[in-house]
Amino acid sequence: MSFLNYLISGISLGSVYAIIALGYTMVYGIAKMLNFAHGDVIMVGAYTVFIATASAGLPTIPAIILSMIVCTALGMAIEKVAYRPLRNAASPLAVLITAIGVSYLLQNLALLIFGSNTKSFTSAVNFPAIKLAGGQLNITGETSVTILACVLIMIGLTLFINKTKPGQAMLAVSEDKGAAQLMGINVNGTIALTFAIGSALAAIAGVLLCSAYPSLTPYTGSMPGIKAFVAAVFGGIGSVPGAMIGGILLGIIEIFGKAYISSQMADAIVFAVLIVVLLVKPTGLMGKKIQEKV
Amino acid sequence: MAMLEIKDLEVYYGMIHAIKGVSFEVNEGEVIALIGANGAGKTTILHTITGLLAAKSGSVTFEGENITKIPAHKIVSLGMAHVPEGRRVFAELSVYQNLKMGAYTRSDKNEIESTLSMVYKRFPRLEERKNQMAGTLSGGEQQMLAMGRALMSHPKIILMDEPSMGLSPILVNEIFDIIRSVNETGTTVLLVEQNAKKALAIANRAYVLETGKIVTSGNADILMNDNAIKKAYLGE
């Protein structure tokens, strides 16, 4: 029974990674850049909910919506101010280094505003735990809501990309920006929209993460951000289903690693698995074959 | 008044002076060929017209409107489509999705459907392969898809960049027949080609480009019999 418990909490943690990884993978697929500040947007989202509920007394749902709005605006602002001017820079490293800089900027701003004390985050989930098999299998409300949110986001995003015009524009821009422009697609607008969606998802991930692991510091987003990046690479960066599968597998591996091998070694196991996957399949599990056709 | 008028166009690639004061015009209903060797600046001119590149000076006027500074994504809805060099179809999308992408700026579903059936009629092979990924098509089929995708915007003028590149002689003939028939159904054509012989055969007029400047221009049938042109571009 403990195996099933571990599996479920692995899927739940993995769902959070998957939601964050979607932001990484969509931005990579469309803007061809790694947004290393993505993890810190999660932290901003969590702080927004924390302040809105604890200090401003807002109910949970409006607080989450507010947090999504704040993160969307933040993500679009970062894209416009920090990344867009560098889009045609001679070296792709310029924007990568800028992203790392933005990440530190956000962490230090949070440190300045909220201080370094750990805030204890009140769970945003108000959903009863499910007890099965005579109480041996215990699924917390946070777990159910996280998994449900991940599934809904995945379905919504897939429909959005395949059925709407802005979604089709994303596909076109991810393949060929010049040809997309010739079709009448506003490339800058499409990239901004991608950042907006990724950042709104980061806000949701922040709330879910802090509801399950209720300690909030300016560095809260950093490690999940890196792990979600690993998940995105693991699944095949640029692939939406890949981010989902990569995220969930990573969560399961991490929890199993903690439970059966060593809780100190869990992160090392996660990264070791990544290395093995990349050695065997360099483009990740769902990654596209790189073909050169002249 | 010319439909498309290019005046004193100067374009730089960084330090390289690629286009050095080019002027020409395209009248409604014409097929105009822009011929010249590799590196003469033909593609650069097309990219500047549709806004993918910025001009240093000079102007591009389309139907009386100065479009020099209009961003690339706003050009197609004015009625100008561009079939880029190397086709640049969306390889990971199906033939059908590619064609729908060509109608991105149009909103009337019925009109899009009727354009689509017209494109399928012109390119029956695209209809046969509508669910296939564009990247799996042959070079000739990809060229047809790129042309069909451009036609999906229902353009008044279509800019074609090296449509014959890398195709077998039979396919080249087929592509040129299609260009002629697209023109006959009312679409103006600005054609960039290295295959000068084929281009002159279907063009009304032509401009010959050498290292960023127009060196000769005139009626296509006259240029075709010009000894200097024959020697330099027609391999005679």
Side-chain angles (χ1 to χ4, degrees), chain A residues 14 49 53 71 90 103 138 141 147 158 163 185 232 251 272:
Chain A
V49 171
T53 51
C71 286
S103 165
N138 183 15
I147 296 171
T158 306
K163 299 284 175 203
I185 293 165

Side-chain angles (χ1 to χ4, degrees), chain A residues 165 168 175-176 183-185, chain B residues 73 88 90-92 104 106:
Chain A
K165 263 193 150 177
Q168 292 288 298
E175 271 205 48
D176 186 332
M183 302 300 108
I185 293 165
Chain B
H73 69 270
R88 291 172 74 171
F90 300 110
E92 307 272 335
Y104 187 80
R106 302 173 69 190

Side-chain angles (χ1 to χ4, degrees), chain A residues 197-238:
Chain A
I197 294 174
S199 304
L201 295 181
I204 297 174
V207 174
L208 293 171
L209 184 74
C210 288
S211 295
Y213 304 87
S215 62
L216 178 57
T217 74
Y219 309 110
T220 291
S222 173
M223 199 58 187
I226 291 172
K227 293 226 188 100
F229 167 63
V230 170
V233 174
F234 192 31
I237 192 141

Side-chain angles (χ1 to χ4, degrees), chain A residues 184-201:
Chain A
I185 293 165
N186 181 346
V187 168
N188 278 336
T190 304
I191 292 176
L193 175 69
T194 309
F195 271 86
I197 294 174
S199 304
L201 295 181

Side-chain angles (χ1 to χ4, degrees), chain B:
Chain B
M1 189 187 65
M3 183 184 215
L4 178 66
E5 194 177 357
I6 281 72
K7 227 173 158 186
D8 304 326
L9 199 66
E10 306 253 353
V11 185
Y12 284 77
Y13 272 118
M15 296 291 284
I16 300 160
H17 195 177
I19 302 298
K20 303 161 185 162
V22 162
S23 301
F24 65 94
E25 52 185 50
V26 182
N27 296 308
E28 195 172 346
E30 280 185 318
V31 176
I32 296 299
L34 213 54
I35 59 179
N38 217 348
K42 306 180 300 289
T43 297
T44 306
I45 291 176
L46 291 197
H47 280 211
T48 312
I49 293 173
T50 45
L52 290 174
L53 281 173
K56 172 107 179 172
S57 64
S59 67
V60 179
T61 310
F62 180 57
E63 295 192 310
E65 186 186 354
N66 185 341
I67 62 165
T68 322
K69 296 258 185 303
I70 293 184
H73 69 270
K74 291 192 174 151
I75 296 287
V76 64
S77 51
L78 301 176
M80 186 189 293
H82 181 164
V83 183
E85 185 179 6
R87 347 236 195 255
R88 291 172 74 171
V89 296
F90 300 110
E92 307 272 335
L93 303 184
S94 70
V95 168
Y96 173 75
Q97 282 176 305
N98 267 276
L99 291 173
K100 285 297 283 277
M101 216 58 97
Y104 187 80
T105 53
R106 302 173 69 190
S107 47
D108 188 319
K109 283 217 167 72
N110 293 330
E111 282 181 18
I112 293 173
E113 277 307 311
S114 79
T115 311
L116 184 67
S117 54
M118 196 191 78
V119 168
Y120 279 154
K121 219 170 119 192
R122 200 184 285 284
F123 304 101
R125 244 177 300 177
L126 295 184
E127 185 165 24
E128 286 163 25
R129 308 195 164 205
K130 62 182 172 190
N131 295 320
Q132 206 169 313
M133 283 221 299
T136 65
L137 299 178
S138 71
E141 289 162 346
Q142 289 194 12
Q143 185 60 47
M144 290 177 191
L145 178 56
M147 289 162 78
R149 185 179 68 176
L151 289 171
M152 287 299 292
S153 68
H154 198 63
K156 296 172 194 159
I157 182 169
I158 187 162
L159 279 48
M160 296 199 201
D161 198 346
E162 304 276 9
S164 75
M165 193 169 71
L167 300 183
S168 70
I170 296 171
L171 273 169
V172 170
N173 287 340
E174 198 176 330
I175 293 292
F176 275 94
D177 285 343
I178 293 165
I179 296 170
R180 197 198 304 259
S181 97
V182 165
N183 176 250
E184 278 163 3
T185 47
T187 312
T188 308
V189 175
L190 174 57
L191 175 66
V192 154
E193 261 295 344
Q194 279 193 60
N195 188 337
K197 205 174 198 166
K198 285 278 170 200
L200 289 175
I202 65 162
N204 300 103
R205 294 185 297 118
Y207 294 85
V208 181
L209 207 64
E210 257 172 41
T211 56
K213 278 189 198 141
I214 287 174
V215 289
T216 317
S217 66
N219 285 339
D221 44 355
I222 294 171
L223 288 178
M224 219 175 333
N225 296 312
D226 182 301
N227 282 330
I229 301 282
K230 272 187 181 171
K231 218 169 161 187
Y233 298 103
L234 304 177
E236 283 174 21

Side-chain angles (χ1 to χ4, degrees), chain A residues 136-147:
Chain A
Q136 289 187 68
L137 191 60
N138 183 15
I139 306 167
T140 64
E142 284 79 7
T143 302
S144 330
V145 169
T146 303
I147 296 171

Side-chain angles (χ1 to χ4, degrees), chain A residues 1-271:
Chain A
M1 231 5 101
S2 62
F3 172 82
L4 265 183
N5 270 320
Y6 293 141
L7 183 65
I8 289 166
S9 58
I11 293 172
S12 172
L13 177 63
S15 296
V16 175
Y17 290 155
I19 297 170
I20 307 168
L22 285 172
Y24 267 112
T25 220
M26 285 171 72
V27 163
Y28 179 82
I30 286 156
K32 300 286 177 279
M33 69 158 291
L34 294 169
N35 178 18
F36 277 121
H38 190 59
D40 303 290
V41 176
I42 299 165
M43 172 272 296
V44 173
Y47 269 108
T48 309
V49 171
F50 177 78
I51 300 288
T53 51
S55 309
L58 234 59
T60 312
I61 298 291
I64 293 173
I65 291 169
L66 175 73
S67 161
M68 288 170 73
I69 293 169
V70 168
C71 286
T72 301
L74 178 67
M76 289 173 81
I78 292 171
E79 190 272 327
K80 180 149 193 186
V81 174
Y83 303 155
R84 192 178 299 179
L86 294 171
R87 195 163 296 149
N88 298 316
S91 162
L93 283 177
V95 71
L96 188 73
I97 292 163
T98 307
I100 295 171
V102 171
S103 165
Y104 281 113
L105 178 73
L106 291 179
Q107 285 176 15
N108 284 288
L109 279 177
L111 206 55
L112 206 65
I113 299 169
F114 306 111
S116 59
N117 291 346
T118 304
K119 304 272 192 286
S120 131
F121 192 94
T122 318
S123 175
V125 175
N126 189 4
F127 190 80
I130 302 167
K131 287 195 195 301
L132 294 173
Q136 289 187 68
L137 191 60
N138 183 15
I139 306 167
T140 64
E142 284 79 7
T143 302
S144 330
V145 169
T146 303
I147 296 171
L148 185 69
C150 181
V151 170
L152 289 179
I153 286 169
M154 196 63 207
I155 294 171
L157 206 57
T158 306
L159 287 176
F160 176 78
I161 291 173
N162 291 312
K163 299 284 175 203
T164 70
K165 263 193 150 177
Q168 292 288 298
M170 284 180 172
L171 289 178
V173 172
S174 78
E175 271 205 48
D176 186 332
K177 291 187 181 60
Q181 278 177 294
L182 294 180
M183 302 300 108
I185 293 165
N186 181 346
V187 168
N188 278 336
T190 304
I191 292 176
L193 175 69
T194 309
F195 271 86
I197 294 174
S199 304
L201 295 181
I204 297 174
V207 174
L208 293 171
L209 184 74
C210 288
S211 295
Y213 304 87
S215 62
L216 178 57
T217 74
Y219 309 110
T220 291
S222 173
M223 199 58 187
I226 291 172
K227 293 226 188 100
F229 167 63
V230 170
V233 174
F234 192 31
I237 192 141
S239 155
V240 167
M244 180 87 171
I245 291 168
I248 289 176
L249 281 179
L250 202 72
I252 294 173
I253 293 167
E254 182 176 334
I255 297 288
F256 278 180
K258 269 188 185 140
Y260 294 119
I261 302 172
S262 148
S263 52
Q264 280 96 22
M265 293 281 286
D267 288 348
I269 293 164
V270 164
F271 291 106

